[in-house]
Amino acid sequence: MTSDETSGARLRALAVTTGVLTAVWVGVLIDGFRPGAVVPVLLPVLLAAAPFALPAERRPLADTVAAAVVTIAMVATFTDAGMHYLPMVLLLWATVIVPRRMRQPHGPVAVRLLHLAAGLLVALPGLVSIGGIDKEMISLTDAGVLYILLPIGLGAMCAFQLRVGYTAVALFGTVAMFAALLDGGFLFLAFWWFGGLYLTVGAVGRVASPLRKI
């Protein structure tokens, strides 16, 4: 299996896992355990997992079809169950795009710009929080300082193309998603989407970055 196929398989596995968690949340915890409610929410998972059963040459097309169908279903049902599938959709499109980009050579400037963009996206919550200090929205307690410095530090590691940084971002996103599932409060979607975005950025950066010493 080539490196791009391995990367696609790993991202696809993450998408399927996220889909299973989403299906459990929507079909069981929200709608109650009813066969009629569980089966529809599992269909995106089956679509995402189907390429694993296909020959390698057919997987890219199957990944694209799965990503497109799940995206259309998410948009069509966004105000109901669809909004919960956003992290899965992000990972599905990462499964489609990343292996294709890995098969195409890129110059060092383009690669550096991609990692800088990823680092900026990861650091954005901390950078925004700095502006909240003047407005007294963020206090300079230990928790407040950590809330600012953690995303900025992770973003810096991503910008310098360190795999350990992307791994930490993915783990941080995973923790946020599980925290959302365990809490289930009115901030559920915020943590779920935030965690899904961090998980996607971290997973993509890790599989796309070469091994290097820190």
Side-chain angles (χ1 to χ4, degrees):
M1 185 178 290
T2 61
S3 60
D4 58 284
E5 290 174 345
T6 300
S7 298
R10 290 174 178 174
L11 292 170
R12 189 184 308 116
L14 277 177
V16 171
T17 303
T18 303
V20 170
L21 289 175
T22 306
V24 170
W25 173 257
V26 174
V28 177
L29 299 181
I30 294 180
D31 293 337
F33 184 76
R34 293 181 292 108
V38 174
V39 172
V41 297
L42 281 176
L43 289 178
V45 179
L46 297 177
L47 278 173
F52 281 117
L54 298 176
E57 63 272 11
R58 296 184 180 181
R59 289 172 189 166
L61 177 60
D63 285 328
T64 303
V65 171
V69 171
V70 176
T71 300
I72 293 172
M74 181 196 71
V75 173
T77 61
F78 192 79
T79 57
D80 188 17
M83 64 179 69
H84 299 87
Y85 284 88
L86 181 59
M88 182 185 184
V89 167
L90 293 176
L91 286 165
L92 283 175
W93 283 113
T95 305
V96 173
I97 296 171
V98 171
R100 293 179 181 178
R101 302 301 293 180
M102 291 180 67
R103 289 192 291 268
Q104 301 173 358
H106 296 283
V109 175
V111 172
R112 175 57 62 193
L113 287 176
L114 288 174
H115 286 285
L116 285 174
L120 180 61
L121 182 61
V122 171
L124 190 60
L127 297 175
V128 172
S129 298
I130 293 176
I133 296 176
D134 293 337
K135 299 179 181 179
E136 297 183 353
M137 297 175 63
I138 300 292
S139 60
L140 291 179
T141 61
D142 291 342
V145 172
L146 181 63
Y147 187 81
I148 294 173
L149 293 183
L150 180 60
I152 293 177
L154 292 176
M157 286 192 287
C158 294
F160 283 104
Q161 202 175 342
L162 297 177
R163 295 185 84 198
V164 64
Y166 283 112
T167 301
V169 170
L171 291 175
F172 193 72
T174 302
V175 170
M177 294 180 74
F178 273 102
L181 290 175
L182 293 175
D183 180 65
F186 72 98
L187 290 177
F188 166 79
L189 279 179
F191 280 95
W192 184 250
W193 289 348
F194 169 81
L197 178 61
Y198 261 46
L199 174 60
T200 302
V201 172
V204 169
R206 177 169 175 81
V207 301
S209 298
L211 282 170
R212 58 182 294 183
K213 294 182 180 181
I214 302 174

